[in-house]
Amino acid sequence: MMHTGAADILIQQGKKLFEAPKRFLKFTNNEKADSLLNDLESFPHAYVLACIMDRQIPAERAWIIPYRISEKIGGFQFPKIHALTQEQIRSLMAEPDPLHRFVDEMSLNFYEAVSLIADRYAGSAANIWADKPSSAELVYRFLEFRGVGQKIGTMAANILARDFKVPLKDYYSIDISVDIQVRRVFERLELVEPASSVERIIYRARSLHPEFPGLLDFPTWEVGRNWCRPSSPNCAGCYLQRACPSAHKHGEAK
C-alpha cells in the first residue's frame, strides 16, 4: 500500500525550496570553488562542466574540478579553457594527483563539452537556458553533452530551476534523480516496493507531483543523507517520522 502522507510532506519541503529567494549554494567545502560555481553570469560553463564531472566519485570532489583546473591555468574564462587541447585537459586532470577516478573518460567529456558550448551556444553556456526553454528542452540540451544521462541531465535542470531560479516554460520533465539515498527513502516510505527499478521510482515521483516531479528530489536526498541512513537510522530526528511506516514498524516514532 502506498503511503502518501510522507510524500505530501516532501512535496511541501520541495515547494519551500523552489519558492525561497535565491541563495549562495555550497557545492563543495571550498568557498572560492563555490563562488565560481555560483557565478552563472561570468562563468556559466563552470556549473555545466561540474555537472558533467559528477559521476562515480563523491559530489564534492567532482564539483571542485573546474576550480582546480582554474588554479592550474590561472583563471576559468571560456576563451582560456576553449584554447586547451584534449591532451592538455587530460594532463591537467591527471597530474600531479588525479582529479577524477576516470581521468581519460572525464577529460574527454570535459573537452567535448567545451567544444559543444563554443559551437552551439556561441561560447556562453548560459545560452543553454537563456531563452526560457521548456523543461523537456532543457533536459534534452544537457543530454546532448557527452557522458550525460537522465540522472545528471535532470539534476542539472533541477538545480537551475530550484536553486538558481532560472525561469522555464514548465517543469513537467524535470524528474527525480535516483541515487542510493532517494531509493532508500522511497522504499522505506513504501512509495515503491523494495528493489524497484529506476524507472518505477521516477514514475512514482511523476504520479505524486506531475507538474514538477523533481520537487521531491532534494528533500528526499536530504532525508536519506542526514537521517534515513542504511543502518541505525535516526528516525527520532527526522521530520518524516510520524508519517513513515518504517519508523512505526520499528516502534521508533513517538
Side-chain angles (χ1 to χ4, degrees):
M1 180 178 180
M2 184 175 69
H3 298 263
T4 58
D8 291 338
I9 297 172
L10 289 171
I11 291 169
Q12 289 305 313
Q13 288 293 112
K15 286 181 178 178
K16 288 180 182 179
L17 287 171
F18 182 61
E19 295 168 358
K22 182 182 176 182
R23 59 189 176 87
F24 185 84
L25 300 179
K26 296 182 179 180
F27 294 102
T28 72
N29 295 317
N30 184 303
E31 186 174 352
K32 290 183 179 180
D34 289 338
S35 294
L36 177 67
L37 296 169
N38 275 266
D39 191 351
L40 291 189
E41 292 187 5
S42 300
F43 301 98
H45 48 282
Y47 170 75
V48 173
L49 291 165
C51 289
I52 294 170
M53 296 296 100
D54 192 357
R55 193 172 78 188
Q56 296 190 42
I57 60 174
E60 293 82 0
R61 182 181 169 194
W63 284 78
I64 206 171
I65 289 175
Y67 177 69
R68 292 303 181 210
I69 290 179
S70 77
E71 287 184 306
K72 295 181 179 184
I73 64 175
F76 209 68
Q77 293 78 11
F78 189 78
K80 185 181 289 286
I81 61 170
H82 187 221
L84 297 171
T85 66
Q86 180 181 336
E87 185 53 40
Q88 286 174 325
I89 292 173
R90 187 198 176 283
S91 178
L92 289 167
M93 291 188 67
E95 302 169 0
D97 298 312
L99 298 181
H100 199 283
R101 179 182 176 189
F102 303 107
V103 168
D104 289 344
E105 180 71 8
M106 301 311 287
S107 60
L108 178 56
N109 290 350
F110 190 107
Y111 174 79
E112 293 287 346
V114 171
S115 297
L116 184 63
I117 292 169
D119 297 341
R120 189 163 302 174
Y121 298 105
S124 175
N127 288 329
I128 297 171
W129 54 82
D131 59 345
K132 195 179 179 180
S134 67
S135 55
E137 178 63 26
L138 180 59
V139 173
Y140 182 82
R141 290 173 183 177
F142 277 106
L143 292 174
E144 290 185 298
F145 286 93
R146 188 180 189 278
V148 173
Q150 183 274 341
K151 180 181 174 182
I152 296 300
T154 55
M155 177 203 74
N158 207 349
I159 293 173
L160 286 172
R162 180 189 66 224
D163 299 309
F164 284 122
K165 314 302 176 183
V166 170
L168 304 177
K169 289 180 181 177
D170 61 70
Y171 303 91
Y172 301 111
S173 296
I174 299 180
D175 285 309
I176 201 164
S177 300
V178 181
D179 64 5
I180 191 171
Q181 313 285 6
V182 168
R183 174 182 293 281
R184 185 188 318 117
V185 174
F186 262 52
E187 290 180 357
R188 288 181 176 173
L189 293 177
E190 297 184 6
L191 297 175
V192 296
E193 296 177 356
S196 289
S197 66
V198 169
E199 289 77 15
R200 290 179 69 175
I201 297 172
I202 289 172
Y203 275 87
R204 175 56 72 212
R206 289 184 185 181
S207 74
L208 292 168
H209 199 254
E211 58 267 38
F212 190 173
L215 269 186
L216 288 105
D217 188 73
F218 185 81
T220 305
W221 177 87
E222 185 179 45
V223 167
R225 181 160 185 173
N226 293 334
W227 302 290
C228 195
R229 296 186 287 265
S231 60
S232 302
N234 181 18
C235 297
C238 179
Y239 60 81
L240 292 176
Q241 66 160 328
R242 294 187 181 277
C244 178
S246 295
H248 281 275
K249 284 178 181 178
H250 291 89
E252 296 181 48
K254 304 298 183 183

